[in-house]
Amino acid sequence: GNQIGDEGAKAIGNNLRESSIQSLNLAGNQIGDEGTKAIGNNLRESSIQTLSLSGNQIGAEGVKAIGNNLRESSIQTLYLAGNQIGDEGAKAIGNNLRESSLQTL
């Protein structure tokens, strides 16, 4: 990883809207819930189709922001392995699968 933490993830996340980035790989960093919330809350108006956040420090609160924005996003592939999302985080993703574009989880 590149030792990107919450502050770096916030800077990236807050600038995703209307960007042309289609694939974002931030695996193996030190991103926690705050950084993940910034990314998740900006997915709706982004072009991101593949999002890899594996091997970070993401908990349920961060994943909820992704899950709650799945339906209106372009995300087709989502990698979250190696985090601490727990049951609550898994529910947030699972409850939003039906109307999403997600193909790979």
Side-chain angles (χ1 to χ4, degrees):
N2 292 305
Q3 300 181 347
I4 298 170
D6 283 334
E7 291 305 311
K10 285 181 195 177
I12 293 169
N14 290 334
N15 289 287
L16 286 178
R17 291 177 186 225
E18 301 176 18
S19 77
S20 58
I21 295 173
Q22 295 182 352
S23 180
L24 181 59
N25 183 351
L26 293 172
N29 284 289
Q30 299 160 357
I31 300 168
D33 288 339
E34 292 305 311
T36 306
K37 286 179 190 178
I39 292 168
N41 290 333
N42 286 290
L43 289 176
R44 291 181 188 188
E45 297 173 35
S46 77
S47 301
I48 301 286
Q49 295 175 1
T50 301
L51 178 60
S52 179
L53 292 170
S54 297
N56 279 284
Q57 299 165 4
I58 302 166
E61 290 305 310
V63 172
K64 284 179 187 178
I66 293 173
N68 292 338
N69 289 289
L70 271 181
R71 292 183 214 182
E72 288 117 24
S73 77
S74 302
I75 297 283
Q76 296 176 6
T77 303
L78 178 61
Y79 297 113
L80 293 169
N83 286 289
Q84 299 85 37
I85 65 172
D87 289 342
E88 290 302 311
K91 285 181 194 177
I93 299 291
N95 290 338
N96 289 289
L97 288 177
R98 284 193 187 149
E99 297 172 27
S100 75
S101 301
L102 203 59
Q103 297 174 5
T104 304
L105 177 61

